[in-house]
Amino acid sequence: MKIFTVIGDPIVHSKSTRMHNNALQVLKKDAIYTRYHLKNKAKLKEIVQKFDGANITIPFKEEAYKIADFCDESVKQIGSANTLINKDGKIYAYNTDYLGFLKAIENFFSIKNALILGAGGTAKALAYALKSINIEVAIANRSSVRFKNLNNYPCFLYDQLDLNTQFDLIINTTSAGLHDESLPCEERILKNIFQKTKYAFDVIYSRETSFLKLARENGLKIKDGMQMLLWQGVFAFELFLECQKTEEIYKAMEMALKLP
Ligand code: NDP
């Protein structure tokens, strides 16, 4: 029997166990998927080696890249991995977050450029995803320290943004709104940008954030991070089990998320 896990800190909130276990059951795979609460990143490699494969979540995605023996090109470019496979004593690293995001925005049409709010690991994965389909990317954040990791993209502090620029898509990758009603930046700035924007996406999936609510009220087509979560899980499952039954995996994972 194969054993997979999701590793993070905290981990109790993770929806990956129910998504993957339902898919394993529906597809009749001889495998289980657990979760592992890791405190010390120095132990990541040792723990990963105990499993056939692992999803890696906050705050270990960058460390996951560092401990890998072989990295997918996307992992090298993004600098982080969320899916590790342990095969013949070697660790193989993939990033399915960026693939999940691309699937999630498939029904957003004619996007030429995008503004990403936030400059952390997720911003970097999404910038890479957009660039891979020839969408121009700009990044805005409340502080500039993380801009050094994003030197392929124009980066701005919020009050440096040219509010006359038109962005077809605006994406919130900050944690603002995850547990409260805060916005990633001043409402005035968002309202100005929204006037010329078609689509808004938020990577947060547990609730409608103030960012998405404001975008909806300003007439934008909106989407939260649920589809991204689902699709990153589907792609990870395909890698773990070397199984291409994409539609069945998706349906099983979607069903698992609807359960109370
Ligand atoms: P990081 O810690 O790497 O980056 C967080 C970013 O948000 C930083 O740019 C930080 O700014 C900014 N930020 C944090 N709090 C605020 C705030 N109150 N106001 C404005 N800016 C803020 O996190 P990640 O990029 O790894 O993750 C970000 C989010 O993405 C998380 O909520 C995570 O759950 C979600 N996520 C969702 C996925 C999905 O499948 N739907 C997949 C992966 C992640 P500064 O640099 O100034 O600190």
Side-chain angles (χ1 to χ4, degrees), residues 155-170:
C155 295
F156 308 91
L157 291 171
Y158 290 122
D159 53 14
Q160 290 173 341
L161 272 173
D162 176 0
L163 299 179
N164 293 315
T165 310
Q166 177 180 338
F167 296 102
D168 297 320
L169 166 65
I170 179 168

Side-chain angles (χ1 to χ4, degrees), residues 61-126:
K61 291 184 187 183
E62 284 167 9
E63 189 63 17
Y65 162 52
K66 290 183 195 154
I67 65 163
D69 298 298
F70 299 102
C71 294
D72 186 72
E73 184 56 27
S74 63
V75 171
K76 290 182 201 158
Q77 295 294 327
I78 296 165
S80 69
N82 75 324
T83 303
L84 298 179
I85 292 175
N86 190 12
K87 201 172 170 185
D88 305 326
K90 301 280 181 213
I91 296 175
Y92 295 75
Y94 303 87
N95 189 308
T96 68
D97 283 336
Y98 101 89
L99 293 170
F101 170 70
L102 286 179
K103 279 302 262 189
I105 61 160
E106 259 182 7
N107 63 342
F108 285 2
F109 299 109
S110 307
I111 301 170
K112 292 195 183 65
N113 68 349
L115 175 66
I116 297 178
L117 309 181
T122 307
K124 206 168 172 194
L126 272 45

Side-chain angles (χ1 to χ4, degrees), residues 11-59:
I11 200 60
V12 70
H13 67 285
S14 173
K15 297 189 187 303
S16 293
T17 41
R18 64 155 87 175
M19 283 163 54
H20 281 266
N21 280 317
N22 203 43
L24 289 170
Q25 204 179 338
V26 169
L27 281 113
K28 299 189 170 46
K29 298 288 179 187
D30 184 23
I32 54 164
Y33 189 104
T34 63
R35 63 177 172 227
Y36 193 99
H37 189 179
L38 181 71
K39 291 273 190 194
N40 177 2
K41 78 173 176 187
K43 294 216 158 148
L44 183 65
K45 188 166 188 171
E46 181 190 326
I47 301 305
V48 168
Q49 283 168 334
K50 294 183 193 296
F51 295 91
D52 292 288
N55 283 126
I56 308 298
T57 189
I58 291 169

Side-chain angles (χ1 to χ4, degrees), residues 183-201:
L183 289 165
C185 61
E186 278 177 60
E187 184 171 333
R188 165 189 71 83
I189 296 175
L190 289 177
K191 279 187 167 168
N192 250 291
I193 296 169
F194 287 164
Q195 281 176 23
K196 305 182 199 73
T197 306
K198 288 188 276 192
Y199 301 107
F201 187 94

